[in-house]
Amino acid sequence: MSEKFVEILTIPFIDTNMDEFINQMLYPRMRNQEKTFVVTANPEIVEYANEHQDYKDIITNADYITPDGIGIIMASKWLNQPLQERITGFDLMNELFSIANEQALKVYLLGAEESVIEKAAAKVQQQYPGLNLVGHHHGYIDIEDETLAKSIADLEPDIVLTALGFPRQEKWTSLHYPLFKKGLFMGVGGSFDVLAGKVNRAPVVWQKMRLEWMYRLIQEPSRWKRMLVLPQFVWKVRRIRRKVQRS
């Protein structure tokens, strides 16, 4: 199938919905054992990428960048190129777990605190008994160290989920990608914290009101500095919109 991309502040986002993305893009690649690098990006990641060329090179060389964050969806509408659907890392992670459960695929989890990853791994094995969890490791690592990466590659996982926080999780994948013969690689940020019950995901009503970011901020007030990039992101998109309207 032909793939369509929408550019938001120089970052190309795949324009699709979750069902199409899973069944027509990711699953065929997994079935053929094609290596696949997925980045789920929000406005904060877009801003960081545009300020750090090395990181921008990493994510724009990924196979897919999905719109994780309502700000990306809103920006696409302002630019008259509306993306179909928000595809979050957490939801995509659970879809991949379901596939792995049905197909007995090998999964490796990397990231978070040791107590968190232990609980998250146990939760995954409990909820998806058909999934083959070949290993897990906490995220307090030197991302440039190949020892751990080689040990993971030797397990030949079909799915590698990294919860190291951006930009470390994408840098880890980029650094060690050549060591792997196959596998789908995706950074999932704080998703293991949610799996382990350390952090609660916003209730559906908050999600529908597009206030998931506020719910997260209430739970983790220390994130307030990171939120300061949002007005900057909105201003830049609005400025591009005015230029488009004038032309």
Side-chain angles (χ1 to χ4, degrees):
M1 63 169 293
S2 60
E3 297 172 351
K4 180 186 174 185
F5 295 85
V6 171
E7 191 173 284
I8 307 292
L9 296 185
T10 75
I11 305 300
F13 286 85
I14 184 70
D15 182 19
T16 187
N17 56 56
M18 181 67 84
D19 182 69
E20 184 179 77
F21 189 48
I22 288 288
N23 295 310
Q24 297 185 38
M25 299 179 196
L26 296 188
Y27 185 60
R29 293 177 65 98
M30 294 167 69
R31 189 173 57 228
N32 294 330
Q33 296 193 345
E34 292 180 61
K35 283 198 293 185
T36 306
F37 183 11
V38 178
V39 174
T40 63
N42 57 21
E44 188 179 1
I45 287 177
V46 170
E47 283 294 290
Y48 186 89
N50 280 309
E51 292 173 1
H52 300 81
Q53 187 62 46
D54 60 335
Y55 182 67
K56 185 177 182 178
D57 290 341
I58 288 171
I59 69 169
T60 54
N61 280 303
D63 295 287
Y64 301 105
I65 303 176
T66 72
D68 182 345
I70 194 62
I72 301 296
I73 300 298
M74 292 173 65
S76 72
K77 292 178 180 178
W78 293 336
L79 297 173
N80 296 320
Q81 299 182 75
L83 289 160
Q84 291 182 44
E85 186 175 290
R86 182 183 176 206
I87 299 177
T88 72
F90 186 81
D91 292 330
L92 188 51
M93 176 184 70
N94 284 307
E95 292 288 342
L96 292 173
F97 284 154
S98 293
I99 291 175
N101 187 60
E102 294 168 4
Q103 303 295 326
L105 299 182
K106 296 180 179 180
V107 177
Y108 194 97
L109 309 179
L110 173 64
E113 299 171 6
E114 190 159 8
S115 60
V116 169
I117 190 62
E118 293 289 343
K119 290 178 183 177
K123 188 77 171 288
V124 169
Q125 290 183 307
Q126 178 187 0
Q127 291 187 344
Y128 304 94
L131 174 156
N132 184 4
L133 186 61
V134 293
H136 59 272
H137 195 282
H138 63 76
Y140 291 86
I141 60 171
D142 174 0
I143 64 169
E144 295 187 6
D145 181 17
E146 278 197 355
T147 306
L148 176 61
K150 284 180 178 177
S151 69
I152 297 172
D154 287 343
L155 297 171
E156 298 187 353
D158 299 291
I159 299 169
V160 178
L161 301 176
T162 55
L164 302 171
F166 89 89
R168 294 178 76 241
Q169 58 196 21
E170 289 79 28
K171 287 184 176 181
W172 185 91
T173 295
S174 178
L175 281 167
H176 306 298
Y177 205 61
L179 296 174
F180 293 81
K181 296 178 181 177
K182 64 173 183 176
L184 184 149
F185 300 77
M186 182 175 75
V188 295
S191 294
F192 295 170
D193 289 337
V194 178
L195 275 178
K198 180 182 178 183
V199 174
N200 295 320
R201 194 180 185 192
V204 175
V205 64
W206 285 68
Q207 295 179 40
K208 288 182 176 179
M209 292 172 63
R210 301 178 176 179
L211 293 174
E212 195 167 3
W213 61 272
M214 185 179 290
Y215 187 88
R216 184 78 181 272
L217 182 59
I218 291 171
Q219 289 192 94
E220 300 177 77
S222 61
R223 293 174 62 90
W224 72 268
K225 287 185 179 179
R226 295 174 58 178
M227 296 297 177
L228 295 178
V229 303
L230 295 177
Q232 184 177 345
F233 172 82
V234 170
W235 179 80
K236 288 179 180 178
V237 173
R238 294 282 194 178
R239 187 176 62 176
I240 292 174
R241 182 189 183 188
R242 286 195 295 271
K243 287 181 180 179
V244 171
Q245 289 174 333
R246 282 198 297 266
S247 60

